[in-house]
Amino acid sequence: MTPQEDITGLILAGGRGTRMGHVDKGLQPFRGASMAEHVMRRLAPQVGALAINANQNLDVYAAFGVPVWPDQLTGFEGPLAGLATGMARCATPLLVTAPCDSPFLPHDLVARLRQALDAEGADLALAETEEAGPDGVPRLQPQPVFALVRTNALPRLEAYLAGGGRRMDGWYGAIRVARVRFDDAAAFRNINTLDELRQCEPE
């Protein structure tokens, strides 16, 4: 796959890892590397540049050989703060995000998001999967941390953040959003706990 040179890939590793026992999720060992490194390997062939959004262990992440960008907002304000930081700092007109705890992300993620973004003239394209709801009925589940965004939408995101908003999808009312359905929901699963991490290790 030819990298899309006008897209920067941003790995979101800026959280506290609360559900994983307050450890840095991106640095947890998984199948011979850290989880963040697995995400990097999946994302790198799909983009022109890579960066990591992290708020702790910055020197360790820097050793991966890509820029490390801490949140511009203080206080571990969530993935939307990481998105805003990436949009402000990347040198490309497009930014795609993926969380550090999702090492199975699709190899065609960026290409499909880019196709929808351009076809619909959108500001942001995000992945969706079909999953069973509490009643067992299949429903579409947005995956807002797997998104491709035009960096010129940053002022609208900054306005949302300045008003106290922190929901990943909370600013969508101010922008045009394209949604892309992916059939393999397992590709988007994230590993939140140490038990889940052990269960995903090969026998």
Side-chain angles (χ1 to χ4, degrees):
M1 180 182 298
T2 302
Q4 305 207 45
E5 296 295 335
D6 58 349
I7 301 176
T8 297
L10 182 67
I11 298 166
L12 299 171
R16 289 191 174 97
T18 304
R19 284 184 286 178
M20 200 169 272
H22 294 279
V23 298
D24 195 326
K25 286 198 294 185
L27 298 179
Q28 296 312 295
F30 178 68
R31 300 184 183 181
S34 68
M35 281 207 289
E37 287 174 293
H38 281 281
V39 176
M40 284 179 61
R41 292 171 186 173
R42 289 261 177 163
L43 199 55
Q46 305 185 48
V47 298
L50 278 175
I52 297 173
N53 163 237
N55 294 306
Q56 53 190 344
N57 300 308
L58 304 186
D59 290 343
V60 181
Y61 281 115
F64 294 170
V66 301
V68 181
W69 298 334
D71 288 348
Q72 294 178 339
L73 291 173
T74 59
F76 293 86
E77 293 289 350
L80 206 58
L83 175 63
T85 296
M87 291 171 69
R89 297 194 63 170
C90 76
T92 57
L94 297 169
L95 179 80
V96 65
T97 57
C100 67
D101 58 358
S102 296
F104 311 110
L105 66 93
H107 294 289
D108 63 349
L109 174 71
V110 177
R112 293 191 58 195
L113 293 178
R114 176 63 177 278
Q115 182 180 26
L117 187 83
D118 291 342
E120 300 185 29
D123 300 302
L124 179 145
L126 64 88
E128 288 187 333
T129 56
E130 187 176 276
E131 300 179 19
D135 55 1
V137 177
R139 59 184 174 82
L140 288 178
Q141 175 65 46
Q143 304 287 348
V145 288
F146 296 89
L148 175 67
V149 64
R150 299 187 192 277
T151 56
N152 61 11
L154 179 60
R156 283 168 283 180
L157 175 54
E158 288 177 331
Y160 174 72
L161 291 169
R166 295 296 182 268
R167 285 177 52 88
M168 197 67 183
D169 60 355
W171 69 301
Y172 288 178
I175 60 173
R176 293 167 293 176
V177 177
R179 299 171 186 270
V180 183
R181 180 174 170 178
F182 287 79
D183 293 330
D184 185 8
F188 294 89
R189 73 181 185 272
N190 58 328
I191 300 175
N192 280 315
T193 67
L194 291 173
D195 282 343
E196 289 177 5
L197 187 63
R198 285 189 287 268
Q199 290 168 9
C200 288
E201 286 283 1
E203 295 296 333

